[in-house]
Amino acid sequence: MGMADPAWGENGIVPFLRAGPPPDRTRVEGWRQWQERRSTFIPAPRLTVEEYAAMSPRRRALHDLHRTATHVNMGLLETPMSAKVTKLMRGRMRNNALNFEPGTRDGLMVSGGGYLGKTETACDAAATFEMLWRDLHRQLLPGPVPGTRDLFVPVAYCRTPVRATPKGLCAAVLDFYGAPLPKTLNGMIRAVRDSLRDHRTTALLLDDITRLRLHREDDQDTLDLVRELMDLNVTLVLIGVDIPRSGLLRSGYPDPRTGQWVFSPVKAGKSYNPSAATQTERRFDLVDLDPFDYDTAEGMTAFIQHLAGIEDRLRLFRARPGMLTEGGMPEYLFRRTRGIVGLLKRLIEDGCTEAIESGAEELTPGLLSAIPINLGNLTDRDPTAGEVPEVPTDVPVPARKPRRKGRNTVYDDRSGSVAGG
């Protein structure tokens, strides 16, 4: 009998299959569900070909399904770029949460191209901070009263509407808490303030912020509202595609002493808040989440280490150490994806599916060359805001060189002199 899969429950139940749609992080219940389950996936066990062949047809089909689930749920692999974002976010959220002085809290802007993992990196950092903050809250304050709703929501996550207006942004924040929507703008603004205060929210993540188009009056008023939210003792984290070129920083300038972006006071006019001109300057730290760089030794090393991390999580029977990291494979993968982690993930996922279905059970440039990177019909992304990257095409497949064991050349003279000369 073949090896039992530890991920299978009694009576053949398959717990790695998800029931229902994925959690909606733009609602407080979905955010908590995602936060609690984001690291609980159990990958498929590593089986030998003999153990796999000894399984019943049903067990083999379930194991193949589990392998596919493993490949599409590899999780967030840290990169040097994401580590920089995570460090800055956690430090800023922690410091602001421990600051009990009145006044504006410095915010953060997480910028980068589409499919670079900005949202996942920011959400993971915020979720880790929330776990710490909830643990401290449980130790210092009494728990929720039975029969009532727990009002403690340290982190809120919202997405900027494609057609941004102050009312639309307020509705996105209020929808996260499940709060009722007042009919007037002033009422909605008061409701947002009350929700942030009553739920003791310390960090507010606004995703897709570069959907704002500052040539539209509604978008200008929405940006004014975003800045005013910084006065509510929350760490405002704005996430968007190529923020420096989006126009959002047009009214700001980088402070050479601190490196922070400083915004002039909002001018009185058609903004919803006519007294905004009396407010203090708003400050944001701008951090970029860049793609991998293959032009330097450090960049190549980081990319190959990332590929090694992916390689370790694959469950292909003919996979071998160096399958993704040796020969011409690293450069080929970089050319296919331009070092964009989201495109790399999609290519590896689809390649593994083809490797399992075809029986190849390994990834090669030849197999991957037949796999298009198809991003599908992305109804939740705005291509005009740069949220969908350009996918490279017509990348040549590197020639496959025969393997042979060469001699050790470590001690060869590389000075260019001729022996005996």
Side-chain angles (χ1 to χ4, degrees), residues 346-356 363 367-368 371:
R346 177 63 59 85
L347 179 60
I348 295 297
E349 287 177 8
D350 293 347
C352 287
T353 299
E354 174 62 23
I356 292 175
L363 297 181
L367 182 143
L368 294 175
I371 305 294

Side-chain angles (χ1 to χ4, degrees), residues 417-421:
S417 59
V418 179

